[in-house]
Short mmCIF file of all heavy atoms in Angstrom, two decimals:
data_model
loop_
_atom_site.label_atom_id
_atom_site.label_comp_id
_atom_site.label_asym_id
_atom_site.label_seq_id
_atom_site.Cartn_x
_atom_site.Cartn_y
_atom_site.Cartn_z
N PHE A 8 -14.89 138.63 -142.98
CA PHE A 8 -14.80 137.47 -143.76
C PHE A 8 -13.40 136.95 -143.86
O PHE A 8 -13.14 135.73 -143.83
CB PHE A 8 -15.40 137.85 -145.13
CG PHE A 8 -15.53 136.66 -145.96
CD1 PHE A 8 -16.36 135.52 -145.72
CD2 PHE A 8 -14.67 136.54 -147.21
CE1 PHE A 8 -16.47 134.43 -146.62
CE2 PHE A 8 -14.80 135.40 -147.96
CZ PHE A 8 -15.66 134.37 -147.69
N VAL A 68 -23.93 110.74 -157.98
CA VAL A 68 -22.89 111.79 -157.49
C VAL A 68 -23.10 112.06 -156.03
O VAL A 68 -22.15 112.29 -155.36
CB VAL A 68 -23.11 113.04 -158.36
CG1 VAL A 68 -22.16 114.08 -157.92
CG2 VAL A 68 -22.86 112.64 -159.85
N LEU A 77 -17.51 111.40 -143.31
CA LEU A 77 -16.75 110.44 -142.61
C LEU A 77 -15.36 111.05 -142.06
O LEU A 77 -14.59 110.26 -141.57
CB LEU A 77 -16.37 109.23 -143.53
CG LEU A 77 -17.54 108.40 -143.98
CD1 LEU A 77 -17.08 107.31 -144.96
CD2 LEU A 77 -18.34 107.81 -142.85
N ALA A 136 0.10 121.99 -172.33
CA ALA A 136 -1.17 122.34 -171.70
C ALA A 136 -1.69 121.17 -170.79
O ALA A 136 -2.08 121.44 -169.62
CB ALA A 136 -2.26 122.59 -172.74
N TYR A 164 -18.77 109.46 -136.27
CA TYR A 164 -18.48 108.53 -137.35
C TYR A 164 -19.65 107.50 -137.56
O TYR A 164 -19.96 107.11 -138.66
CB TYR A 164 -17.21 107.75 -137.04
CG TYR A 164 -16.01 108.65 -137.13
CD1 TYR A 164 -15.15 108.91 -135.98
CD2 TYR A 164 -15.58 109.20 -138.33
CE1 TYR A 164 -14.13 109.71 -136.04
CE2 TYR A 164 -14.42 109.99 -138.43
CZ TYR A 164 -13.68 110.27 -137.27
OH TYR A 164 -12.66 110.99 -137.37
N LEU A 176 -27.34 102.58 -150.29
CA LEU A 176 -28.40 101.50 -150.53
C LEU A 176 -29.56 102.15 -151.35
O LEU A 176 -30.19 101.49 -152.16
CB LEU A 176 -28.83 101.10 -149.18
CG LEU A 176 -27.94 100.29 -148.38
CD1 LEU A 176 -28.52 99.91 -147.01
CD2 LEU A 176 -27.69 98.93 -149.13
N ILE A 190 -35.80 100.65 -167.62
CA ILE A 190 -35.60 102.10 -167.84
C ILE A 190 -34.12 102.40 -167.95
O ILE A 190 -33.72 103.27 -168.78
CB ILE A 190 -36.18 102.90 -166.66
CG1 ILE A 190 -37.76 102.79 -166.52
CG2 ILE A 190 -35.79 104.37 -166.72
CD1 ILE A 190 -38.35 103.50 -165.38
N ILE A 337 -14.59 89.99 -185.70
CA ILE A 337 -14.14 89.17 -186.88
C ILE A 337 -13.62 87.88 -186.43
O ILE A 337 -13.92 86.80 -187.00
CB ILE A 337 -13.25 90.00 -187.80
CG1 ILE A 337 -13.94 91.20 -188.39
CG2 ILE A 337 -12.61 89.06 -188.88
CD1 ILE A 337 -14.85 90.89 -189.60
N PHE A 346 -21.54 92.50 -174.43
CA PHE A 346 -20.45 92.73 -173.46
C PHE A 346 -20.78 94.03 -172.75
O PHE A 346 -21.76 94.77 -172.98
CB PHE A 346 -19.12 92.88 -174.10
CG PHE A 346 -18.48 91.50 -174.52
CD1 PHE A 346 -18.95 91.00 -175.71
CD2 PHE A 346 -17.52 90.89 -173.71
CE1 PHE A 346 -18.42 89.66 -176.08
CE2 PHE A 346 -17.14 89.75 -174.07
CZ PHE A 346 -17.43 89.03 -175.32
N THR A 400 2.20 83.07 -185.62
CA THR A 400 3.24 84.03 -185.78
C THR A 400 2.61 85.44 -185.75
O THR A 400 1.43 85.52 -185.99
CB THR A 400 4.05 83.91 -187.10
OG1 THR A 400 3.14 84.30 -188.13
CG2 THR A 400 4.57 82.42 -187.30
N ASN A 409 12.19 98.34 -194.88
CA ASN A 409 11.62 99.10 -196.03
C ASN A 409 10.34 99.74 -195.72
O ASN A 409 9.52 99.92 -196.63
CB ASN A 409 11.50 98.11 -197.29
CG ASN A 409 12.78 97.50 -197.69
OD1 ASN A 409 13.89 98.12 -197.62
ND2 ASN A 409 12.76 96.40 -198.24
N THR A 411 8.00 102.87 -195.15
CA THR A 411 7.82 104.29 -195.47
C THR A 411 6.67 104.86 -194.63
O THR A 411 5.77 104.12 -194.23
CB THR A 411 7.67 104.55 -197.02
OG1 THR A 411 6.47 103.79 -197.40
CG2 THR A 411 8.84 104.00 -197.84
N VAL A 507 -10.37 88.80 -198.04
CA VAL A 507 -11.43 89.54 -197.49
C VAL A 507 -11.07 90.91 -197.06
O VAL A 507 -10.09 91.03 -196.20
CB VAL A 507 -12.15 88.82 -196.34
CG1 VAL A 507 -13.38 89.65 -195.86
CG2 VAL A 507 -12.50 87.45 -196.70
N ASP A 511 -12.32 99.11 -190.83
CA ASP A 511 -12.66 98.71 -189.56
C ASP A 511 -13.63 99.61 -188.86
O ASP A 511 -14.39 99.27 -187.97
CB ASP A 511 -11.37 98.60 -188.69
CG ASP A 511 -10.64 99.95 -188.69
OD1 ASP A 511 -10.93 100.83 -189.51
OD2 ASP A 511 -9.65 100.11 -187.90
N TYR A 533 -17.30 95.81 -197.38
CA TYR A 533 -16.31 94.72 -197.50
C TYR A 533 -16.42 94.17 -198.94
O TYR A 533 -17.33 94.31 -199.77
CB TYR A 533 -16.74 93.53 -196.53
CG TYR A 533 -17.84 92.69 -196.95
CD1 TYR A 533 -17.69 91.52 -197.82
CD2 TYR A 533 -19.15 92.99 -196.53
CE1 TYR A 533 -18.69 90.74 -198.16
CE2 TYR A 533 -20.22 92.16 -196.96
CZ TYR A 533 -20.00 91.04 -197.75
OH TYR A 533 -21.04 90.29 -198.20
N ASN A 538 -8.92 84.11 -206.27
CA ASN A 538 -8.26 83.83 -207.59
C ASN A 538 -8.72 82.47 -208.19
O ASN A 538 -7.93 81.97 -208.95
CB ASN A 538 -6.79 83.86 -207.40
CG ASN A 538 -6.19 82.75 -206.53
OD1 ASN A 538 -7.02 82.00 -205.85
ND2 ASN A 538 -4.93 82.62 -206.34
N ARG A 570 -19.98 77.74 -186.45
CA ARG A 570 -20.96 76.81 -186.93
C ARG A 570 -22.38 77.21 -186.56
O ARG A 570 -23.41 77.10 -187.34
CB ARG A 570 -20.88 75.35 -186.41
CG ARG A 570 -19.63 74.69 -187.01
CD ARG A 570 -19.66 73.18 -186.73
NE ARG A 570 -19.69 72.93 -185.28
CZ ARG A 570 -18.68 72.66 -184.55
NH1 ARG A 570 -17.41 72.68 -185.06
NH2 ARG A 570 -18.80 72.41 -183.29
N GLY A 614 7.51 87.67 -185.56
CA GLY A 614 8.19 87.57 -186.86
C GLY A 614 8.16 86.12 -187.37
O GLY A 614 7.86 85.12 -186.69
N LYS A 647 22.27 94.91 -176.93
CA LYS A 647 22.45 95.09 -175.45
C LYS A 647 23.81 94.53 -175.13
O LYS A 647 24.15 93.41 -175.40
CB LYS A 647 21.31 94.17 -174.79
CG LYS A 647 20.93 94.75 -173.41
CD LYS A 647 19.70 93.93 -172.87
CE LYS A 647 19.12 94.65 -171.63
NZ LYS A 647 17.92 93.98 -171.09
N VAL A 658 21.90 99.10 -190.48
CA VAL A 658 22.52 99.28 -191.73
C VAL A 658 21.72 98.61 -192.79
O VAL A 658 21.22 99.25 -193.86
CB VAL A 658 24.01 98.85 -191.84
CG1 VAL A 658 24.57 98.88 -193.12
CG2 VAL A 658 24.75 99.48 -190.74
N ASP A 674 32.95 90.21 -173.08
CA ASP A 674 31.78 90.92 -173.12
C ASP A 674 30.60 90.12 -173.67
O ASP A 674 30.70 89.31 -174.60
CB ASP A 674 31.96 92.22 -174.01
CG ASP A 674 32.81 93.32 -173.31
OD1 ASP A 674 32.84 93.26 -172.14
OD2 ASP A 674 33.34 94.11 -174.05
N ILE A 679 18.26 92.30 -179.73
CA ILE A 679 16.88 92.05 -179.26
C ILE A 679 15.96 92.97 -180.18
O ILE A 679 16.36 94.22 -180.33
CB ILE A 679 16.67 92.40 -177.83
CG1 ILE A 679 17.67 91.34 -177.01
CG2 ILE A 679 15.33 92.24 -177.36
CD1 ILE A 679 17.66 91.75 -175.49
N SER A 685 6.12 103.78 -176.85
CA SER A 685 6.90 104.71 -175.85
C SER A 685 7.51 103.82 -174.71
O SER A 685 8.46 104.23 -174.13
CB SER A 685 5.86 105.64 -175.21
OG SER A 685 4.79 105.00 -174.67
#
Side-chain angles (χ1 to χ4, degrees):
F8 182 67
V68 177
L77 298 177
Y164 291 114
L176 290 176
I190 294 175
I337 293 283
F346 287 80
T400 74
N409 297 329
T411 57
V507 183
D511 57 348
Y533 77 89
N538 67 352
R570 287 197 302 267
K647 209 171 191 181
V658 180
D674 285 338
I679 301 174
S685 57

